[in-house]
Amino acid sequence: MRSLLISVAIITGAVLTACSDNSSGPDLGGDFGQVSLTVSGDVQGEKSGQADFYGDEPGGQGIHYWELSFNDFSPQTYSLQLSLTDFEEIQRPGTGTYEIGFDPPNPFQERGEPVFFGIYTHIPNGSFSNAMEFETGLFCTEESPRGGTLVITSSSSDAVSGSFSFKAANYDFDDSGNCISQGEIEVAGEFNARARRF
């Protein structure tokens, strides 16, 4: 049930407004971008891996999204998504500083400043059955304030670069619906992400 709610949160995440843009990105070479990050708290480690970004523009009344995605492989030990969602089309964010937290889109309100929703998935020894998700504000926010900032230093149609730093938490619920903390982490890193090639 909790995984379903996390998935729903990705679809109902944050709002985006247009920001300034940089017409040229860094020359990364190859088809994949790179990320390096440090995790501290109840999960610890220094990680590196590939980085890409992509968006979806469904027709009709669908939810639109734009996402930075990071992960390692062979074996995969983590994944990280920083995503925006809205009922309206989302443009690629330009250079600037953005909040990481949780602010679901509301069709009855004007679009505010974009807020990225973050999910860090810890995959111990490549075991997906033992994976644990840490998020930036969907559940139990009164028990643990979390979130942070994403800084985009370069943004083009081919590459997006920058850094991020945020707190995230994993929670479950007892039979009475009360929050039970399963752990908290801090994540900080730098990235050069390539446009995803489908």
Side-chain angles (χ1 to χ4, degrees):
M1 177 67 175
R2 187 172 187 280
S3 294
L4 174 62
L5 292 174
I6 289 287
S7 298
V8 170
I10 295 173
I11 303 235
T12 59
V15 190
L16 176 67
T17 55
C19 296
S20 61
D21 186 59
N22 185 354
S23 60
S24 64
D27 182 10
L28 303 176
D31 293 330
F32 299 105
Q34 304 88 33
V35 64
S36 61
L37 58 89
T38 300
V39 186
S40 59
D42 289 307
V43 172
Q44 299 187 13
E46 294 186 3
K47 306 286 186 178
S48 61
Q50 62 188 36
D52 64 7
F53 65 91
Y54 62 100
D56 180 47
E57 299 180 2
Q61 301 298 316
I63 295 289
H64 298 260
Y65 68 88
W66 191 92
E67 179 175 282
L68 285 162
S69 181
F70 313 104
N71 64 273
D72 60 358
F73 49 90
S74 297
Q76 185 173 358
T77 65
Y78 79 94
S79 69
L80 168 61
Q81 289 78 40
L82 299 174
S83 60
L84 296 169
T85 58
D86 203 343
F87 292 104
E88 300 180 17
E89 180 179 346
I90 297 176
Q91 301 295 323
R92 172 178 39 82
T95 58
T97 299
Y98 299 87
E99 180 182 353
I100 299 174
F102 181 65
D103 184 18
N106 186 335
F108 305 106
Q109 294 181 352
E110 292 186 14
R111 299 167 73 180
E113 291 296 319
V115 177
F116 281 80
F117 179 62
I119 295 180
Y120 181 92
T121 305
H122 172 58
I123 310 169
N125 300 316
S127 174
F128 288 90
S129 62
N130 294 314
M132 178 180 287
E133 292 181 334
F134 297 82
E135 45 85 6
T136 61
L138 176 60
F139 299 109
C140 309
T141 54
E142 293 183 3
E143 286 75 10
S144 174
R146 49 199 184 271
T149 56
L150 166 68
V151 179
I152 296 179
T153 56
S154 178
S155 177
S156 74
S157 60
D158 294 323
V160 175
S161 301
S163 62
F164 52 82
S165 177
F166 64 91
K167 295 181 179 180
N170 176 283
Y171 280 89
D172 206 343
F173 302 91
D174 64 18
D175 293 338
S176 300
N178 299 312
C179 293
I180 303 172
S181 175
Q182 303 292 310
E184 299 179 4
I185 60 171
E186 294 186 30
V187 186
E190 298 181 345
F191 66 91
N192 295 312
R194 284 286 196 182
R196 180 169 294 183
R197 308 299 183 193
F198 292 97

